[in-house]
């Protein structure tokens, strides 16, 4: 850009100055300044938006502590039929004695996110390695857009598929007690994050400089040894980032889990039980509660917690990417 | 004697023209990438246990020439090779050639030092592991021997476990040399190994090349005329994919037979 301006100025010295040209030049300058400012502003807006969302969530969520004792977010007491107090961990925000234990929701979220991420990691990483290291140019040109297409399927459609088809299939295959359970949700969620992990793995491995592959081949490593002993270790931090970002997405996924997991908030570690995630709880309840009430605030607290968790996961992922760049001296 | 600008050839050694058998031989080699012929009809003998320098302007096919020996040039692309490239008389492009073994016998240093982002030890142990060494004692021995040979042992012996990426550029290139030496090659190819190094690091590599010629056949591509004159016994001048001239280094730098060689080494082009 600059050199073009300079050459125009240079020309202006030898030929008579055309007023229109100077004006055009000046306008070009302004446009540049404008675009630059606009782009910078966008960067700041992104940061500001994150901060604002955080403040908005927290401001509301923190007020839940005004009426609900902190301990009740873990467990609370309830009298059983014989009037003996029992410790319960329930999310039961309606009724005489509402209960706000976050434990079943946290367990629900992780029972979906962890198996979902695990399944997606296996397929996504394999797919990414295939794309970056094995597929020829033409195959790549078909597969990569296909994967990106999968990422574009609305999650309600995937949820629908899970609810209607996959759930039956899983129950027939494994004989689970509940048709809708965490595993069905995990499978659905993995469909959404396989593309995330695959594309990011592909990016990470393609960022590994070619001279490392060349060096490995020159030492007699075959393609497989080059991939497993040089390329993947070199891109390992990028792979970690890919998996973490996938997990962040899995924790935040709402529609699929709402439709596929059965939505029973219970304390369980069995991935074939019905569960209810943090996201599904917010989505299902927030619209139906009075604004500013106790449950409303408790839901905001759940949202704040979710926000902090995904934020931390994404932060670690970013650090991993930075680490990889540093390690490879890119 | 024609004046040769600023280049002083190394003190005369015994003429190698006919003294040493060819370790690597190119016989009418033409090499094409898709849509681009990089070498045409190159015939060249690389004498055993000597240093052969390849000089020529950018893009003339120097890298392709040496990478066609260990068949690295064909990685990630389709190539067409005509003619014969032989090592000890065996055609490296014959069907059924074991590439793993070929590349063990022919090591290579690259323009940019390319240590793996692993520890110093693991870098040197990489080759032996690939070729089947697994006993810890053997590996330790191979690593120490190679690092000593590459004159790096004293600088790194206390930190073999630290990342190779923390070494300086010159140390990294010597590490890459150690990595190559660890698999006991017969031929060592070097593609402008000093082009990214400072003069002191360059001098150290050149000293090493001087030692290597006792045991290995070395082919070095260089842009630096003085370097070719300092380190090599034979020099080949390549232009537009064709071999213009090859002769004892002293002859090339004092009385080249071809006008184009003279123009190139006196800096009139390239
Ligand atoms: N992988 C490749 N695909 C296509 N053309 C290539 C490739 N590598 C090198 N070439 C071309 O072959 C010619 C010789 O390249 P090279 O051997 O790298 O020359 P030098 O090392 O002398 O600079 C150049 O024109 C270059 O563009
Ligand atoms: Mg080159």
């Amino acid at each position: 850009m600059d050199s073009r301006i300079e050459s125009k100025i240079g020309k202006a010295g030898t030929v008579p100055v055309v007023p229109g040209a100077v004006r055009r030049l000046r306008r070009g300058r302004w446009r540049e300044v404008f675009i630059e400012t606009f782009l910078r502003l966008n960067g700041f807006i992104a940061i500001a938006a994150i901060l604002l969302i955080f403040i908005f969530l927290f401001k509301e969520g923190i007020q839940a502590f005004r009426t609900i004792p902190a301990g009740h977010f873990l467990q609370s007491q309830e009298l059983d039929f014989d009037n003996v107090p029992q410790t319960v961990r329930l999310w039961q925000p309606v009724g005489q004695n509402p209960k706000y234990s976050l434990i079943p929701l946290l367990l629900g979220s992780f029972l979906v996110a962890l198996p979902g991420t695990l399944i997606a990691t296996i397929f996504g990483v394999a797919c990414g390695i295939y794309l970056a290291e094995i597929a020829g140019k033409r195959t790549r040109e078909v597969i990569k857009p296909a994967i990106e297409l999968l990422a574009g399927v609305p999650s309600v459609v995937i949820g629908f598929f899970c609810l209607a088809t996959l759930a039956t299939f899983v129950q027939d295959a494994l004989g689970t007690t509940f048709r809708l359970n965490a595993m069905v949700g995990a499978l659905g969620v993995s469909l959404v994050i396989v593309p995330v992990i695959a594309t990011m793995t592909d990016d990470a491995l393609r960022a590994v400089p070619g001279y490392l592959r060349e060096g490995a081949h020159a030492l007699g490593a075959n393609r497989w040894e080059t991939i497993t002993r040089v390329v993947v270790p070199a891109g390992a931090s990028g792979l970690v980032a890919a998996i973490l970002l996938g997990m962040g997405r899995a924790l935040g996924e709402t529609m699929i889990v709402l439709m596929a997991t059965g939505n029973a908030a219970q304390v369980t570690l069995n991935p074939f039980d019905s569960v209810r995630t943090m996201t599904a709880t917010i989505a299902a309840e927030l619209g139906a509660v009075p604004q500013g009430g106790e449950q409303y605030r408790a839901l905001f607290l759940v949202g704040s917690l979710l926000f902090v968790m995904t934020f931390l996961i994404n932060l670690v992922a970013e650090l991993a990417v930075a680490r990889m760049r540093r390690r490879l001296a890119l | 004697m024609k004046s040769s600008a600023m280049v002083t050839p190394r003190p005369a050694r015994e003429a190698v023209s006919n003294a040493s058998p060819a370790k690597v031989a190119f016989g009418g080699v033409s090499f094409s990438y898709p849509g681009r012929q990089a070498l045409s009809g190159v015939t060249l003998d690389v004498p055993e246990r000597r240093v052969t320098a390849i000089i020529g302007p950018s893009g003339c096919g120097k890298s392709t020439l040496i990478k066609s020996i260990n068949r690295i040039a064909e990685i990630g692309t389709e190539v067409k090779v005509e003619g014969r490239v032989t090592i000890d008389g065996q055609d490296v492009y014959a069907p059924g050639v074991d590439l793993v073994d070929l590349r063990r016998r022919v090591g290579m240093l690259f323009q940019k030092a390319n240590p793996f982002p692993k520890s110093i030890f693991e870098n040197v142990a990489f080759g032996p592991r690939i070729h089947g060494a697994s006993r810890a004692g053997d590996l330790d021995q191979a690593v120490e021997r190679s690092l000593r040979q590459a004159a790096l042992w004293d600088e790194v012996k206390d930190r073999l476990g630290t990342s190779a990426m923390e070494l300086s550029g010159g140390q990294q290139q010597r590490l890459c040399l150690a990595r190559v030496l660890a698999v006991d090659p017969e031929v060592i190819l070097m593609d402008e190994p000093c082009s990214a190094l400072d003069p002191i690091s360059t001098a150290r590599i050149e000293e090493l090349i001087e030692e290597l010629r006792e045991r290995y056949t070395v082919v070095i591509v260089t842009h630096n005329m003085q370097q070719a004159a300092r380190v090599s016994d034979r020099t080949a001048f390549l232009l537009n994919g064709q071999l213009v001239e090859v002769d004892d280094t002293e002859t090339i730098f004092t009385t080249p037979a071809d006008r184009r060689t003279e123009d190139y080494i006196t800096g009139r082009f390239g």
Side-chain angles (χ1 to χ4, degrees):
Chain A
M1 209 64 177
D2 271 329
S3 71
R4 205 191 65 197
I5 289 166
E6 226 169 73
S7 72
K8 275 195 184 167
I9 292 170
K11 239 186 258 161
T14 54
V15 295
V17 178
V18 188
V22 172
R23 210 176 308 127
R24 255 201 314 280
L25 177 63
R26 203 167 286 146
R27 206 184 300 144
R29 213 354 137 238
W30 274 111
R31 201 168 60 197
E32 224 173 291
V33 171
F34 176 75
I35 290 172
E36 203 179 301
T37 316
F38 177 74
L39 292 177
R40 187 171 311 151
L41 212 62
N42 275 292
F44 282 121
I45 287 174
I47 295 175
I50 291 177
L51 270 175
L52 284 175
I53 292 172
F54 187 66
I55 291 169
F56 160 77
L57 276 174
F58 238 63
K59 180 175 82 41
E60 201 68 45
I62 205 86
Q63 296 193 55
F65 289 104
R66 294 211 320 216
T67 53
I68 308 167
H72 283 201
F73 289 110
L74 296 178
Q75 57 195 34
S76 50
Q77 304 286 320
E78 186 183 47
L79 300 181
D80 66 8
F81 293 119
D82 304 323
N83 274 348
V84 182
Q86 295 284 333
T87 301
V88 291
R89 299 187 183 87
L90 291 172
W91 175 270
Q92 224 169 58
V94 283
Q96 279 298 306
N97 176 15
K99 297 173 197 69
Y100 294 104
S101 173
L102 300 181
I103 289 175
L105 307 188
L106 279 165
L107 284 174
S109 277
F110 279 100
L111 273 184
V112 173
L114 289 182
T117 309
L118 191 71
I119 296 164
T121 296
I122 294 167
F123 289 100
V125 168
C127 190
I129 290 177
Y130 175 75
L131 278 178
E133 299 295 318
I134 297 166
K137 212 166 149 231
R138 256 177 245 125
T139 328
R140 194 186 147 73
E141 273 163 16
V142 176
I143 304 233
K144 184 121 188 188
I147 291 171
E148 275 154 13
L149 220 57
L150 180 60
V153 177
S155 55
V156 69
V157 173
I158 294 181
F160 191 72
F161 162 73
C162 292
L163 178 80
T165 313
L166 191 66
T168 311
F169 177 78
V170 169
Q171 189 167 39
D172 289 349
L174 303 174
T176 52
T177 324
F178 307 98
R179 207 178 82 89
L180 297 179
N181 57 50
M183 191 52 76
V184 176
L187 286 167
V189 165
S190 73
L191 281 180
V192 177
I193 60 176
V194 158
V196 176
I197 296 181
T199 0
M200 281 199 59
T201 300
D202 178 48
D203 289 346
L205 297 186
R206 284 162 73 81
V208 173
Y211 52 72
L212 292 183
R213 290 182 191 83
E214 224 179 10
H217 281 299
L219 285 165
N222 61 30
R223 189 199 249 179
W224 180 242
E225 289 162 334
T226 304
I227 293 172
T228 54
R229 299 192 191 194
V230 175
V231 181
V232 169
S237 306
L239 261 64
V240 168
I243 295 164
L244 284 176
L245 282 185
M247 186 161 144
R249 284 286 303 272
L251 275 176
E253 175 53 48
T254 306
M255 190 47 79
I256 296 174
V257 293
L258 191 62
M259 295 171 82
T261 57
N263 284 318
Q266 45 181 332
V267 176
T268 175
L269 286 175
N270 181 354
F272 295 100
D273 275 348
S274 289
V275 296
R276 171 188 272 208
T277 66
M278 300 164 79
T279 51
T281 306
I282 297 172
E285 296 178 9
L286 194 61
V289 300
Q291 258 191 36
E294 187 175 87
Q295 188 186 351
Y296 183 82
R297 290 169 176 168
L299 288 172
F300 267 79
L301 191 69
V302 174
S304 309
L305 190 60
L306 191 64
F307 182 91
V308 170
M309 288 188 326
T310 47
F311 183 80
L312 287 181
I313 288 174
N314 289 355
L315 189 70
V316 175
E318 289 295 332
L319 293 178
V321 171
R323 183 184 134 87
M324 168 168 152
R325 295 204 174 290
R326 204 157 9 90
R327 243 163 66 96
L328 295 176
L330 288 179
Chain B
M1 189 161 115
K2 288 170 195 166
S3 76
S4 52
M6 51 215 167
V7 177
T8 337
R10 58 182 298 158
R13 289 217 175 95
E14 76 276 31
V16 274
S17 318
N18 301 309
S20 190
K23 176 76 180 175
V24 180
F26 294 84
V29 174
S30 297
F31 194 107
S32 306
Y33 298 105
R36 167 99 210 175
Q37 179 156 10
L39 298 175
S40 30
V42 172
T43 296
L44 170 69
D45 280 357
V46 175
E48 185 160 21
R49 291 171 206 247
R50 292 288 185 276
V51 178
T52 301
I54 314 286
I55 60 172
S58 284
C60 71
K62 305 181 296 296
S63 297
T64 304
L65 183 77
I66 64 169
K67 287 179 180 178
S68 70
I69 302 173
N70 61 349
R71 296 188 53 178
I72 288 291
E74 67 201 59
I75 290 176
T77 176
E78 259 166 47
V79 301
K80 201 165 118 238
V81 190
E82 289 161 65
R84 275 160 60 90
V85 182
T86 59
I87 298 181
D88 293 335
Q90 288 170 317
D91 189 351
V92 301
Y93 287 94
V97 161
D98 180 358
L99 286 183
V100 174
D101 187 57
L102 171 68
R103 290 169 186 160
R104 187 197 61 68
R105 292 171 63 198
V106 185
M108 180 157 184
L109 279 192
F110 295 84
Q111 192 162 358
K112 182 177 182 332
N114 56 355
F116 303 131
K118 298 172 182 281
S119 72
I120 293 170
F121 183 93
E122 283 304 323
N123 264 277
V124 185
F126 184 88
R129 279 194 210 280
I130 291 286
H131 298 288
S134 57
R135 290 227 316 275
D138 295 351
L139 280 177
D140 288 350
Q141 233 177 16
V143 168
E144 178 173 346
R145 170 182 61 75
S146 314
L147 284 170
R148 279 190 192 284
Q149 249 182 306
L152 192 58
W153 176 251
D154 290 331
E155 289 158 66
V156 301
K157 63 170 185 276
D158 301 320
R159 47 171 176 147
L160 292 176
T162 58
S163 169
M165 308 309 277
E166 281 164 29
L167 299 174
S168 73
Q171 288 174 322
Q172 288 189 2
Q173 195 60 294
R174 276 181 282 145
L175 179 68
C176 292
L177 179 60
R179 195 170 68 177
V180 164
L181 294 172
V183 296
D184 255 327
E186 297 157 27
V187 180
I188 300 176
L189 312 173
M190 303 183 178
D191 193 355
E192 304 187 37
C194 303
S195 65
L197 301 184
D198 61 84
I200 293 174
S201 304
T202 300
R204 302 203 66 169
I205 300 279
E206 288 183 7
E207 283 164 30
L208 284 168
I209 295 173
E210 180 66 35
E211 287 165 26
L212 290 176
R213 66 186 283 284
E214 313 272 314
R215 287 183 52 187
Y216 306 94
T217 303
V218 177
V219 186
I220 178 170
V221 169
T222 176
H223 250 121
N224 180 330
M225 294 304 110
Q226 284 96 333
Q227 182 169 65
R230 277 193 302 265
V231 303
S232 72
D233 305 286
R234 299 275 287 174
T235 297
F237 175 53
L238 213 58
L239 189 62
N240 295 329
Q242 288 174 318
L243 183 75
V244 173
E245 183 172 359
V246 57
D247 213 325
D248 287 352
T249 297
E250 192 175 357
T251 312
I252 291 280
F253 283 104
T254 52
T255 52
D258 197 291
R259 180 62 195 255
R260 291 169 294 174
T261 314
E262 189 185 349
D263 285 350
Y264 182 71
I265 60 176
T266 53
R268 239 164 282 172
F269 74 90

